Amino acid sequence: MARMHRGFLLSLLFTSLFYAPLAVGAEPPPPPKLDAANTAWMLTASVLVLFMTLPGLALFYAGLVRMKNVLSVLMQCFAITCIVTLAWVVVGYSIAFGDAGALNAWYGGFDKLFLSGIDVKTVKGSIPETVFAMYQLTFAIITPALVIGAYAERVKFGGMLLFSLLWLIVVYCPVAHWVWGDGWLAKKGIMDFAGGTVVHLNAGIAALVCATVLGKRRGFPDTPMPPHNMTMTVTGACLLWVGWFGFNAGSALAADGAAGMAMLVTHIGAATGAFAWIVCEWLRYRKPSALGAVTGMVAGLGTITPASGFVGPIGALAIGAAAGIVCFFATSYMKQSLKVDDSLDVFPVHGVGGIIGTILTGVFAAAAFGGVGYPEKVTMGDQVLVQIIGVLAVAAWSGVVTWILLKISDAVAGMRVEAEEETEGLDTVMHNEKGYNL
């Protein structure tokens, strides 16, 4: 009897020792820990990216149009900021960063409508989810705001608002989910650090469709339509350059070496793009222009965006130079050869830049060029193929759906102003105001 009792105790001890590690292993993982430094940086980055739209992009675009339309462009940027914010809270964030279960490859579902489940204690990675949602909101604001450059000086305010709202929900948010929300492109391993496909290619293709569908401004291309205030444009461009550090370095979502490298290559890309454009103008027209310099800067910034977290300084130099040269010729070809009235050159700068930057990311991410390298068993050819698939998919989605939404918006609210209203100017016709009382 004593022997049986000892055997039972030994087996009980053995069982407890054997299963103890399993019991410990079964415990839920510790909750994500908030990092104060990362949070402080992301709060700052959110301000910088919003700064890109208001006042950066608003001033940049407003200076490029004619004097009679300056307020209309400022108003469009301001109103888009407001309506996108409301839509983001209601449904946009959920579609972009929610979890749709079986359909999660395509969109984020509706589990986070009205930012459901997000409070002061909710953590995303190492930052509050409130900060993450705000940071991503600033991206959602600037993307449809970029598109207005394609149809500036000829669009109705109500139609523009409706189109921008629909475009955000149906085009931008799903694409953001594909790339950044654990969607199908993310699963394929696409490299898009800060928005080469999600922002620049997406907006650029939409701009091309808008310019084609809405038609040319009255008098284009025979009537000169120079920028009315280059001082305003250069000021806006400078604000964009500074704000872009939040755009790219902030996409690291941490205050670390990746953010530092992203900031460095962003600056290199901007400077190289601007200088390359200056050289192209100097050789072709014998006089470099301020407009060319700032346009080249924006091209460099947009093109380095997808690569900013993956490449080193060598890659930044190559990508910035490619941006300045290719986008320079693309802009001339669009207006002079194709006669497409993309008013403020959104497609040849952002669309073409997004394509170049996304594909070249697959090249210059290689460790041989100072990049971060590729995942295990992935070659340069494999990565470039994934990048091309991403470009084609986003271009197709943006192009087709933008065309449909333009037709819907035109039927519901009207998109194109009347000829007499366009001649008078949108400041007076749409807002009963004037930008200048001289």
Side-chain angles (χ1 to χ4, degrees):
M1 190 73 177
R3 187 178 300 172
M4 289 178 62
H5 184 65
R6 285 196 302 272
F8 174 76
L9 289 176
L10 287 172
S11 59
L12 182 63
L13 176 63
F14 174 78
T15 302
S16 63
L17 290 172
F18 180 80
Y19 283 105
L22 298 181
V24 172
E27 291 181 3
K33 186 178 179 181
L34 190 72
D35 187 285
N38 293 346
T39 301
W41 163 235
M42 293 310 301
L43 287 167
T44 305
S46 300
V47 173
L48 286 171
V49 182
L50 182 60
F51 194 61
M52 290 172 66
T53 304
L54 299 177
L57 184 71
L59 292 175
F60 181 72
Y61 275 179
L64 290 173
V65 298
R66 289 169 288 181
M67 186 168 63
K68 61 186 178 181
N69 297 311
V70 57
L71 279 183
S72 72
V73 172
L74 292 170
M75 183 62 174
Q76 286 166 11
C77 288
F78 197 93
I80 282 176
T81 301
C82 298
I83 197 169
V84 168
T85 298
L86 299 177
W88 189 252
V89 171
V90 175
V91 67
Y93 180 75
S94 185
I95 294 174
F97 294 101
D99 188 346
L103 296 176
N104 197 56
W106 306 106
Y107 81 116
F110 304 105
D111 60 316
K112 293 191 176 183
L113 294 180
F114 294 93
L115 303 184
S116 175
I118 300 176
D119 57 32
V120 295
K121 296 181 180 179
T122 312
V123 177
K124 182 88 168 178
S126 63
I127 63 174
E129 191 166 6
T130 51
V131 177
F132 178 79
M134 177 64 199
Y135 180 68
Q136 293 297 337
L137 168 57
T138 60
F139 280 67
I141 288 169
I142 199 170
T143 310
L146 288 172
V147 180
I148 68 176
Y151 49 65
E153 303 193 291
R154 60 192 187 275
V155 70
K156 291 183 177 179
F157 183 70
M160 179 278 305
L161 274 182
L162 177 61
F163 168 74
S164 298
L165 174 63
L166 296 175
W167 192 87
L168 170 84
I169 295 171
V170 185
V171 178
Y172 177 84
C173 290
V175 172
H177 183 78
W178 295 354
V179 178
W180 296 331
D182 203 28
W184 71 277
L185 282 176
K187 296 290 189 184
K188 290 188 75 69
I190 190 169
M191 289 181 167
D192 185 357
F193 194 70
T197 55
V198 180
V199 177
H200 297 288
L201 173 62
N202 207 2
I205 294 294
L208 179 61
V209 174
C210 287
T212 304
V213 171
L214 295 180
K216 305 170 184 176
R217 288 169 290 178
R218 293 193 71 193
F220 180 91
D222 301 319
T223 303
M225 300 178 185
H228 91 279
N229 191 331
M230 275 304 303
T231 303
M232 183 182 290
T233 293
V234 173
T235 301
C238 294
L239 296 175
L240 281 170
W241 191 335
V242 174
W244 223 289
F245 294 128
F247 201 78
N248 288 359
S251 292
L253 300 179
D256 59 11
M261 180 60 80
M263 177 175 284
L264 176 62
V265 299
T266 296
H267 188 71
I268 294 171
T272 309
F275 190 72
W277 195 295
I278 288 171
V279 171
C280 289
E281 273 196 336
W282 215 335
L283 293 174
R284 187 167 185 175
Y285 302 117
R286 304 301 178 191
K287 291 183 180 180
S289 68
L291 176 58
V294 297
T295 305
M297 176 214 75
V298 174
L301 287 167
T303 307
I304 195 61
T305 288
S308 55
F310 304 112
V311 304
I314 294 175
L317 288 169
I319 291 172
I325 296 169
V326 176
C327 294
F328 171 79
F329 286 104
T331 301
S332 300
Y333 184 71
M334 282 279 293
K335 277 188 162 53
Q336 297 174 10
S337 299
L338 299 182
K339 310 295 184 186
V340 175
D341 187 15
D342 180 348
S343 305
L344 309 182
D345 302 319
V346 183
F347 174 74
V349 173
H350 295 277
V352 173
I355 293 170
I356 297 170
T358 301
I359 295 174
L360 290 183
T361 298
V363 176
F364 289 101
F369 296 119
V372 297
Y374 305 113
E376 188 177 355
K377 297 182 180 180
V378 174
T379 66
M380 182 185 294
D382 295 334
Q383 191 61 53
V384 169
L385 179 60
V386 171
Q387 302 299 102
I388 292 173
I389 290 171
V391 165
L392 294 176
V394 173
W397 179 259
S398 182
V400 172
V401 180
T402 295
W403 185 86
I404 295 170
L405 296 180
L406 280 173
K407 295 299 181 181
I408 293 173
S409 301
D410 188 46
V412 173
M415 288 295 294
R416 183 73 189 256
V417 297
E418 299 296 333
E420 297 78 11
E421 295 174 327
E422 185 178 334
T423 301
E424 185 177 350
L426 302 189
D427 289 359
T428 303
V429 171
M430 291 288 121
H431 309 294
N432 195 31
E433 296 175 301
K434 290 184 178 180
Y436 307 97
N437 292 303
L438 303 176

